[in-house]
C-alpha cells in the first residue's frame, strides 16, 4: 500500500486488528480519546518506527515511541523499525502483549523480574538469538517464543498418527538443556503431548496422541538451568 500517513477524527475510539496492514506509515499519532487498540494492528505495519499518543489519554501511553497501557504494566507494541538493536523492558511491566515484538529486528531483549505473562505470538519470528525468562513468569501463550534461528535439530519435522494413536518423536538437543518448559499446539487434531528426558543426555522424547482427523502444528521450547529459552522448530502433525 502507498499509504504513508493517517489522521484520525477526534472522536475515533477503536483501532481494529490488522486494519493498517502493509501500509508504509512510519509514525502514527493515536487520537486522544481512543479506547481500544491491539498489538496486532502495529505488528502488521512493516515500516513503523514510532507510536505517539496524547498524555491526556486515560488508557494508553507511549514511551520513546513504544506503546504501553496507561499504568505501564502491559507493553502493547514495539515498532518493527524502531532502529534499536537491544531493548530492556522497563521494570514494572507485568505482561508482554500479543504480537508486541512480532518479527522484531532486535537482537537482544532483557525482561524484568516483574514480568508474569507473555501473550500469544509476543516474540514470534523475532531476530533475537536468546531470551532469558525471569522466575516470575507464570504463563507463556501460543507461539509466543519462536526465534528465526532455532537451536534444535529434530529427527522429523512432520508426523502422521491414527485417530487415538500415539507416536514418540526424539529430538537431539544441540545445547545443554534440562527440561521442556512450554508446549503449544492446536487442540483440534492433537489430544495430548507428553515429554520426557530421554536416556541420552542430549535428547528429549515427545509423545503425541492423536484426537481426530486433521492437521495441527506443534511447537515446544525448553529452558536450561539458568532459564535461557531454547526453541524447537515447528512440527506438522497429521491425524488420519
Amino acid at each position: 500500500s502507498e499509504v504513508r500517513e493517517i489522521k484520525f477524527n477526534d472522536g475515533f475510539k477503536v483501532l481494529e486488528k490488522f486494519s493498517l496492514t502493509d501500509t508504509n506509515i512510519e509514525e502514527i499519532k493515536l487520537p486522544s480519546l481512543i479506547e481500544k487498540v491491539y498489538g496486532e494492528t502495529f505488528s502488521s505495519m512493516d515500516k513503523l518506527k514510532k507510536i505517539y499518543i496524547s498524555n491526556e489519554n486515560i488508557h494508553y501511553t507511549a514511551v520513546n515511541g513504544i506503546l504501553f497501557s496507561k499504568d505501564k504494566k502491559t507493553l502493547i507494541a514495539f515498532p518493527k523499525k524502531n532502529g534499536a538493536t537491544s531493548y530492556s523492558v522497563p521494570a514494572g511491566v507485568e505482561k508482554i502483549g500479543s504480537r508486541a515484538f512480532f518479527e522484531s529486528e532486535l537482537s537482544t531483549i532483557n525482561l524484568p523480574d516483574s514480568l508474569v505473562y507473555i501473550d500469544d505470538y509476543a516474540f514470534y519470528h523475532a531476530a533475537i538469538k536468546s531470551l532469558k525468562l525471569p522466575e516470575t513468569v507464570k504463563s507463556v501463550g501460543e507461539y509466543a517464543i519462536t526465534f528465526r534461528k532455532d537451536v534444535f535439530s529434530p529427527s522429523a519435522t512432520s508426523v502422521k498418527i491414527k485417530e487415538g494413536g500415539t507416536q514418540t518423536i526424539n529430538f537431539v538437543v544441540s545445547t545443554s538443556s534440562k527440561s521442556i518448559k512450554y508446549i503449544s499446539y492446536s487442540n483440534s487434531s492433537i489430544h495430548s503431548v507428553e515429554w520426557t528426558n530421554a536416556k541420552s543426555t542430549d535428547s528429549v522424547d515427545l509423545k503425541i496422541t492423536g484426537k481426530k482427523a486433521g492437521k495441527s502444528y506443534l511447537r515446544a521450547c525448553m529452558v536450561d538451568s539458568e532459564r535461557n529459552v531454547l526453541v524447537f522448530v515447528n512440527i506438522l502433525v497429521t491425524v488420519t
Side-chain angles (χ1 to χ4, degrees):
S1 172
E2 294 299 320
V3 177
R4 298 179 181 275
E5 183 179 4
I6 186 169
K7 293 183 179 180
F8 300 96
N9 295 327
D10 291 339
F12 192 89
K13 293 185 177 182
V14 179
L15 186 57
E16 297 291 349
K17 298 179 181 180
F18 307 111
S19 57
L20 298 175
T21 299
D22 297 329
T23 57
N24 288 321
I25 297 171
E26 295 185 356
E27 297 185 353
I28 187 169
K29 185 175 182 180
L30 300 174
S32 59
L33 296 179
I34 198 162
E35 297 177 356
K36 189 65 178 178
V37 296
Y38 301 89
E40 289 86 348
T41 302
F42 307 103
S43 69
S44 60
M45 299 175 69
D46 293 338
K47 304 291 186 181
L48 189 63
K49 296 179 180 180
K50 290 183 179 293
I51 302 169
Y52 298 99
I53 191 167
S54 169
N55 289 332
E56 297 176 0
N57 186 276
I58 63 173
H59 301 287
Y60 303 101
T61 188
V63 179
N64 297 323
I66 303 159
L67 188 65
F68 295 83
S69 59
K70 190 67 174 183
D71 58 10
K72 298 182 182 178
K73 290 184 178 181
T74 299
L75 192 156
I76 297 169
F78 188 99
K80 286 184 185 180
K81 294 297 182 181
N82 172 276
T85 57
S86 64
Y87 179 69
S88 293
V89 175
V93 170
E94 298 178 359
K95 180 179 180 179
I96 304 295
S98 176
R99 297 180 181 245
F101 291 94
F102 188 89
E103 296 182 347
S104 171
E105 296 182 357
L106 291 166
S107 58
T108 303
I109 298 177
N110 299 311
L111 302 177
D113 290 336
S114 56
L115 188 64
V116 180
Y117 307 103
I118 300 177
D119 214 341
D120 298 348
Y121 295 89
F123 297 101
Y124 186 83
H125 279 194
I128 48 179
K129 298 178 180 178
S130 64
L131 189 68
K132 187 170 184 176
L133 294 182
E135 293 185 7
T136 51
V137 173
K138 295 180 180 179
S139 175
V140 176
E142 184 179 56
Y143 298 110
I145 304 171
T146 65
F147 303 157
R148 293 180 191 173
K149 184 177 181 181
D150 293 321
V151 296
F152 288 94
S153 177
S155 56
T157 55
S158 63
V159 295
K160 292 184 178 181
I161 309 173
K162 296 289 186 181
E163 288 188 14
T166 63
Q167 183 164 335
T168 299
I169 306 174
N170 179 262
F171 286 87
V172 176
V173 182
S174 62
T175 54
S176 176
S177 311
K178 299 302 181 184
S179 63
I180 292 179
K181 186 68 176 177
Y182 304 106
I183 285 185
S184 62
Y185 58 89
S186 167
N187 62 7
S188 59
S189 299
I190 299 174
H191 179 269
S192 63
V193 179
E194 302 174 53
W195 65 91
T196 58
N197 290 326
K199 293 180 180 179
S200 171
T201 58
D202 62 352
S203 66
V204 170
D205 287 332
L206 287 180
K207 182 181 178 182
I208 306 169
T209 302
K211 182 179 181 181
K212 62 180 181 180
K215 295 182 178 181
S216 295
Y217 282 95
L218 179 151
R219 176 178 289 274
C221 70
M222 303 176 72
V223 294
D224 63 17
S225 57
E226 296 182 351
R227 295 184 68 79
N228 295 300
V229 174
L230 311 169
V231 185
F232 280 129
V233 295
N234 275 322
I235 310 164
L236 173 60
V237 179
T238 302
V239 179
T240 58

